[in-house]
Coordinates of all heavy atoms in Angstrom, one line a residue:
P406 N 60.6 -125.2 -23.8 CA 62.0 -125.1 -23.2 C 62.0 -125.4 -21.7 O 63.1 -125.7 -21.2 CB 62.3 -123.6 -23.4 CG 61.0 -122.9 -23.4 CD 60.0 -123.8 -24.0
L407 N 60.9 -125.5 -21.1 CA 60.8 -125.8 -19.6 C 59.5 -126.4 -19.4 O 58.5 -125.8 -18.9 CB 61.0 -124.5 -18.8 CG 61.0 -124.7 -17.3 CD1 62.1 -125.8 -16.8 CD2 61.3 -123.4 -16.5
A408 N 59.4 -127.7 -19.6 CA 58.1 -128.5 -19.5 C 58.0 -129.0 -18.0 O 58.6 -130.0 -17.7 CB 58.1 -129.6 -20.5
H409 N 57.2 -128.3 -17.2 CA 57.0 -128.7 -15.8 C 56.3 -130.0 -15.8 O 56.5 -130.9 -14.9 CB 56.2 -127.6 -15.1 CG 56.9 -126.3 -15.0 ND1 57.9 -126.0 -14.2 CD2 56.7 -125.2 -15.8 CE1 58.3 -124.8 -14.4 NE2 57.5 -124.2 -15.3
V410 N 55.4 -130.3 -16.7 CA 54.6 -131.5 -16.7 C 55.5 -132.7 -17.0 O 55.2 -133.8 -16.5 CB 53.4 -131.4 -17.7 CG1 54.0 -131.3 -19.1 CG2 52.5 -132.6 -17.6
A411 N 56.6 -132.5 -17.7 CA 57.5 -133.6 -18.0 C 58.3 -134.0 -16.8 O 58.7 -135.2 -16.6 CB 58.4 -133.3 -19.1
L412 N 58.5 -133.1 -15.9 CA 59.3 -133.3 -14.7 C 58.4 -133.6 -13.4 O 59.0 -133.7 -12.3 CB 60.2 -132.1 -14.4 CG 61.1 -131.7 -15.5 CD1 61.9 -130.5 -15.2 CD2 62.1 -132.8 -15.9
R413 N 57.1 -133.8 -13.6 CA 56.3 -134.0 -12.5 C 56.6 -135.4 -11.8 O 56.7 -136.4 -12.5 CB 54.8 -134.0 -12.9 CG 53.8 -134.3 -11.8 CD 52.4 -134.2 -12.3 NE 52.1 -132.8 -12.8 CZ 51.1 -132.5 -13.7 NH1 50.4 -133.5 -14.2 NH2 50.9 -131.3 -14.0
P414 N 56.8 -135.4 -10.5 CA 57.1 -136.7 -9.9 C 56.0 -137.7 -10.0 O 54.8 -137.4 -10.0 CB 57.3 -136.3 -8.4 CG 57.6 -134.9 -8.4 CD 56.8 -134.3 -9.6
G415 N 56.4 -139.0 -10.2 CA 55.4 -140.1 -10.2 C 55.1 -140.6 -8.9 O 55.4 -140.0 -7.8
P416 N 54.5 -141.8 -8.8 CA 54.1 -142.4 -7.5 C 55.3 -142.6 -6.6 O 55.2 -142.6 -5.4 CB 53.4 -143.7 -7.9 CG 53.0 -143.5 -9.3 CD 54.0 -142.6 -9.9
D417 N 56.5 -142.8 -7.2 CA 57.7 -143.1 -6.4 C 58.4 -141.8 -5.9 O 59.4 -141.8 -5.3 CB 58.7 -143.9 -7.2 CG 59.1 -143.3 -8.5 OD1 58.5 -142.2 -8.8 OD2 59.9 -143.9 -9.2
G418 N 57.8 -140.6 -6.3 CA 58.4 -139.3 -5.9 C 59.4 -138.8 -6.8 O 60.0 -137.8 -6.5
L419 N 59.7 -139.6 -7.9 CA 60.7 -139.2 -8.8 C 60.1 -138.9 -10.2 O 59.1 -139.4 -10.6 CB 61.8 -140.3 -9.0 CG 62.5 -140.7 -7.7 CD1 63.4 -142.0 -8.0 CD2 63.4 -139.6 -7.2
P420 N 60.8 -138.0 -11.0 CA 60.3 -137.8 -12.3 C 60.4 -139.0 -13.2 O 61.1 -140.0 -12.9 CB 61.3 -136.7 -12.9 CG 61.9 -136.1 -11.7 CD 62.0 -137.2 -10.6
P421 N 59.6 -139.1 -14.3 CA 59.7 -140.3 -15.1 C 61.1 -140.5 -15.7 O 61.9 -139.6 -15.8 CB 58.7 -140.0 -16.2 CG 57.8 -138.9 -15.7 CD 58.6 -138.1 -14.7
L422 N 61.4 -141.8 -16.0 CA 62.6 -142.1 -16.5 C 62.8 -141.5 -17.9 O 61.9 -141.4 -18.7 CB 62.7 -143.7 -16.7 CG 64.1 -144.2 -17.1 CD1 65.1 -144.0 -16.0 CD2 64.0 -145.7 -17.3
N423 N 64.0 -140.9 -18.1 CA 64.3 -140.3 -19.4 C 63.5 -139.0 -19.6 O 63.3 -138.6 -20.8 CB 64.2 -141.2 -20.6 CG 65.1 -142.4 -20.5 OD1 66.2 -142.3 -20.1 ND2 64.6 -143.6 -21.0
A424 N 63.0 -138.4 -18.5 CA 62.3 -137.1 -18.7 C 63.2 -136.0 -19.2 O 64.3 -135.9 -18.8 CB 61.6 -136.8 -17.3
R425 N 62.6 -135.2 -20.1 CA 63.4 -134.1 -20.7 C 62.8 -132.8 -20.3 O 61.6 -132.6 -20.5 CB 63.5 -134.3 -22.2 CG 64.1 -135.6 -22.7 CD 64.2 -135.6 -24.2 NE 65.3 -134.7 -24.7 CZ 65.3 -134.1 -25.8 NH1 64.3 -134.2 -26.6 NH2 66.4 -133.4 -26.2
R426 N 63.6 -131.9 -19.9 CA 63.1 -130.6 -19.5 C 62.7 -129.8 -20.7 O 61.7 -129.0 -20.7 CB 64.2 -129.8 -18.7 CG 63.7 -128.5 -18.1 CD 64.8 -127.7 -17.5 NE 65.6 -127.0 -18.5 CZ 66.7 -126.2 -18.2 NH1 67.1 -126.1 -17.0 NH2 67.3 -125.6 -19.2
A427 N 63.5 -129.9 -21.8 CA 63.3 -129.1 -23.0 C 63.1 -130.0 -24.2 O 63.5 -131.1 -24.2 CB 64.4 -128.1 -23.2
S428 N 62.4 -129.5 -25.2 CA 62.2 -130.2 -26.5 C 62.3 -129.3 -27.6 O 62.1 -128.0 -27.5 CB 60.8 -130.9 -26.5 OG 59.8 -130.0 -26.3
D429 N 62.6 -129.8 -28.8 CA 62.7 -129.0 -30.0 C 62.4 -130.0 -31.2 O 62.1 -131.2 -31.0 CB 64.0 -128.3 -30.2 CG 65.2 -129.2 -30.2 OD1 65.0 -130.4 -30.5 OD2 66.3 -128.7 -29.8
L430 N 62.6 -129.5 -32.4 CA 62.4 -130.3 -33.6 C 63.6 -130.3 -34.5 O 63.5 -130.5 -35.7 CB 61.2 -129.9 -34.4 CG 59.8 -130.2 -33.7 CD1 58.7 -129.6 -34.5 CD2 59.6 -131.7 -33.5
G431 N 64.8 -130.1 -33.9 CA 66.0 -130.2 -34.6 C 66.1 -129.4 -35.9 O 65.9 -128.2 -35.9
P432 N 66.4 -130.1 -37.0 CA 66.6 -129.3 -38.3 C 65.3 -129.0 -39.0 O 65.3 -128.3 -40.0 CB 67.3 -130.4 -39.2 CG 66.8 -131.7 -38.7 CD 66.6 -131.5 -37.2
L433 N 64.1 -129.3 -38.4 CA 62.9 -129.1 -39.1 C 62.4 -127.7 -39.0 O 61.9 -127.1 -40.0 CB 61.8 -130.0 -38.6 CG 62.1 -131.5 -38.6 CD1 60.9 -132.4 -38.1 CD2 62.5 -131.9 -40.1
L434 N 62.4 -127.0 -37.9 CA 61.9 -125.7 -37.7 C 62.5 -124.7 -38.6 O 61.7 -123.9 -39.2 CB 62.0 -125.3 -36.2 CG 61.1 -125.9 -35.2 CD1 61.3 -125.3 -33.8 CD2 59.7 -125.9 -35.6
P435 N 63.8 -124.6 -38.9 CA 64.3 -123.6 -39.8 C 63.7 -123.8 -41.2 O 63.4 -122.8 -41.9 CB 65.8 -123.9 -39.8 CG 66.1 -124.5 -38.5 CD 64.9 -125.3 -38.2
R436 N 63.5 -125.1 -41.6 CA 62.8 -125.3 -42.9 C 61.4 -124.9 -42.9 O 60.8 -124.7 -44.0 CB 63.0 -126.8 -43.3 CG 64.4 -127.2 -43.6 CD 64.9 -126.6 -44.9 NE 66.2 -127.0 -45.2 CZ 66.8 -126.8 -46.4 NH1 66.2 -126.0 -47.3 NH2 68.1 -127.2 -46.6
W437 N 60.8 -124.8 -41.8 CA 59.4 -124.4 -41.7 C 59.3 -122.9 -41.4 O 58.2 -122.4 -41.1 CB 58.7 -125.2 -40.6 CG 58.6 -126.7 -40.8 CD1 58.9 -127.3 -42.0 CD2 58.2 -127.7 -39.9 NE1 58.7 -128.7 -41.9 CE2 58.2 -128.9 -40.6 CE3 57.7 -127.7 -38.6 CZ2 57.9 -130.1 -40.0 CZ3 57.4 -128.9 -38.0 CH2 57.5 -130.1 -38.7
G438 N 60.4 -122.2 -41.5 CA 60.3 -120.7 -41.4 C 60.3 -120.2 -40.0 O 59.8 -119.1 -39.8
V439 N 60.7 -121.0 -39.0 CA 60.6 -120.6 -37.6 C 62.0 -120.9 -36.9 O 62.6 -121.9 -37.1 CB 59.5 -121.4 -36.9 CG1 59.5 -121.1 -35.4 CG2 58.2 -121.2 -37.5
S440 N 62.4 -119.9 -36.1 CA 63.6 -120.1 -35.2 C 63.1 -120.1 -33.8 O 62.1 -119.5 -33.4 CB 64.6 -119.0 -35.4 OG 64.0 -117.7 -35.1
Y441 N 63.8 -120.9 -33.0 CA 63.4 -121.2 -31.6 C 64.6 -121.6 -30.8 O 65.5 -122.4 -31.2 CB 62.4 -122.4 -31.6 CG 62.2 -123.1 -30.3 CD1 61.4 -122.6 -29.3 CD2 62.8 -124.4 -30.2 CE1 61.2 -123.3 -28.1 CE2 62.6 -125.1 -29.0 CZ 61.8 -124.6 -28.0 OH 61.6 -125.3 -26.8
D442 N 64.8 -121.0 -29.6 CA 65.9 -121.2 -28.7 C 65.3 -122.0 -27.5 O 64.6 -121.5 -26.7 CB 66.5 -119.9 -28.3 CG 67.7 -120.1 -27.4 OD1 68.1 -121.3 -27.1 OD2 68.3 -119.1 -26.8
R443 N 65.8 -123.2 -27.4 CA 65.3 -124.1 -26.3 C 65.9 -123.7 -24.9 O 65.5 -124.3 -23.9 CB 65.6 -125.6 -26.6 CG 67.0 -125.9 -26.8 CD 67.2 -127.4 -27.1 NE 67.0 -128.2 -25.9 CZ 66.9 -129.5 -25.9 NH1 66.8 -130.1 -27.0 NH2 66.7 -130.2 -24.8
E444 N 66.7 -122.7 -24.9 CA 67.3 -122.3 -23.6 C 66.7 -121.0 -23.2 O 67.3 -120.3 -22.2 CB 68.9 -122.1 -23.8 CG 69.6 -123.4 -24.2 CD 69.4 -124.5 -23.1 OE1 69.3 -124.1 -21.9 OE2 69.5 -125.7 -23.5
T445 N 65.6 -120.5 -23.8 CA 65.0 -119.2 -23.4 C 63.5 -119.4 -23.2 O 62.9 -120.1 -24.0 CB 65.3 -118.2 -24.6 OG1 66.7 -118.1 -24.8 CG2 64.6 -116.9 -24.2
V446 N 63.0 -118.8 -22.1 CA 61.6 -118.8 -21.8 C 61.1 -117.4 -21.9 O 61.8 -116.4 -21.8 CB 61.3 -119.4 -20.5 CG1 61.8 -120.9 -20.4 CG2 61.8 -118.6 -19.3

Side-chain angles (χ1 to χ4, degrees):
L407 181 56
H409 300 282
V410 66
L412 304 177
R413 179 179 296 159
D417 57 357
L419 300 174
L422 190 64
N423 300 323
R425 302 185 75 208
R426 187 187 80 179
S428 59
D429 58 26
L430 289 177
L433 303 183
L434 287 184
R436 290 292 182 170
W437 296 351
V439 176
S440 63
Y441 159 79
D442 182 5
R443 58 179 287 166
E444 300 299 329
T445 301
V446 301

